[in-house]
Amino acid sequence: MTDGETGRVFRLAYVPGVTPAKWVGIWTERMPDVPVALVTVPAAEVVGLLRNGGADAGFVRLPVDRDGLSVIPLYVETTVVVVPKDHAAAAADEVVIADLVDDEVFHPLDDTIEWAVRPGLPAFTRPATTADAVELVAAGSGILLVPQSLARLHHRGDLTYRPVPDAPQSQVALTWPTDATTDLVEDFIGIVRGRTANSSRGRTPASPAEKPAQRQAQKPAQSGSGRRAVPAGRKSKGRRPR
């Protein structure tokens, strides 16, 4: 940590359903003098918050408008259908989109799943949020498809959910304003990428596409006998006597 980081706070935004506890725990161990301020932000607002300087970095659901942002995709979530417990889908281990063709499906305004063709029949309204859509599903007005973490977040006793393996999936990513890539942001990137505390903080890392080429360039050429080739201009030395 540099002297300029003393007294700083690292502001980390995250959208509903994402659980940053694992990474925050590692940060707390490595950077005890820089506390983390967690900010829960609706999916539709997190990019604006980052661009306005309201957070140093954030966990988002792709796709987002990447203009001016750096993005590291992290993991993909299973899409599930949320239904009342007496719905036919509740009797199956998983369902496919074709099973839902006759159901009214809510499409909340904060949905981050990219649908080429939306499943089922359009519901009578577009709820403002996923939480509002879950309430309507509980009322028996339709069903809902969401990333599994959101189904868990909004779990309630009268509803259940089942995987939909042929549905598009939501991807979670870490993002931050490119022109505000501070040392603290680089430190957090290193934690998210699994770097150790002794890995020189991982600043300005090579892109994944560059690393294999670098390793190949550093690997010495092999002669047909299995001995290392002697670079041009260097004389071969005799063996040392034993």
Side-chain angles (χ1 to χ4, degrees), residues 113-149:
I113 298 176
E114 285 194 298
W115 297 99
V117 178
R118 291 178 188 166
L121 304 171
F124 70 94
T125 186
R126 286 199 67 185
T129 66
T130 296
D132 292 338
V134 170
E135 293 294 329
L136 291 170
V137 174
S141 301
I143 63 175
L144 174 67
L145 287 97
V146 293
Q148 183 168 295
S149 65

Side-chain angles (χ1 to χ4, degrees), residues 16-224:
V18 175
T19 305
K22 175 181 69 174
W23 298 295
V24 172
I26 297 173
W27 175 281
T28 302
E29 292 177 0
R30 296 185 187 177
M31 311 280 288
D33 296 329
V34 184
V36 177
L38 294 174
V39 184
T40 306
V41 189
E45 300 175 16
V46 64
V47 169
L49 179 77
L50 290 168
R51 288 191 175 132
N52 293 332
D56 298 295
F59 290 107
V60 303
R61 294 185 186 278
L62 299 180
V64 296
D65 180 0
R66 299 193 181 200
D67 185 31
L69 298 179
S70 295
V71 177
I72 300 176
L74 298 177
Y75 59 89
V76 174
E77 284 197 73
T78 299
T79 297
V80 301
V81 59
V82 180
V83 297
K85 284 191 171 179
D86 60 356
H87 190 279
D93 292 332
E94 61 181 33
V95 300
V96 295
I97 293 295
D99 296 331
L100 309 175
V101 64
D102 294 326
D103 286 284
E104 293 188 8
V105 180
F106 290 108
H107 183 222
L109 296 176
D110 63 356
D111 184 18
T112 57
I113 298 176
E114 285 194 298
W115 297 99
V117 178
R118 291 178 188 166
L121 304 171
F124 70 94
T125 186
R126 286 199 67 185
T129 66
T130 296
D132 292 338
V134 170
E135 293 294 329
L136 291 170
V137 174
S141 301
I143 63 175
L144 174 67
L145 287 97
V146 293
Q148 183 168 295
S149 65
L150 287 179
R152 290 173 175 167
L153 178 67
H154 297 292
H155 173 72
R156 45 185 294 163
D158 52 351
L159 301 178
T160 188
Y161 61 86
R162 294 292 182 268
V164 186
D166 62 341
Q169 296 176 312
S170 172
Q171 187 169 28
V172 173
L174 176 68
T175 185
W176 67 96
T178 302
D179 60 1
T181 308
T182 64
D183 283 352
L184 292 181
V185 170
E186 290 280 15
D187 286 323
F188 193 75
I189 292 168
I191 289 172
V192 169
R193 283 181 163 169
R195 299 192 185 104
T196 65
N198 298 322
S199 61
S200 69
R201 308 180 77 174
R203 292 175 181 166
T204 61
S207 68
E210 293 171 346
K211 292 179 181 178
Q214 291 173 346
R215 287 196 295 265
Q216 185 66 28
Q218 294 169 358
K219 184 178 179 180
Q222 301 288 324
S223 65

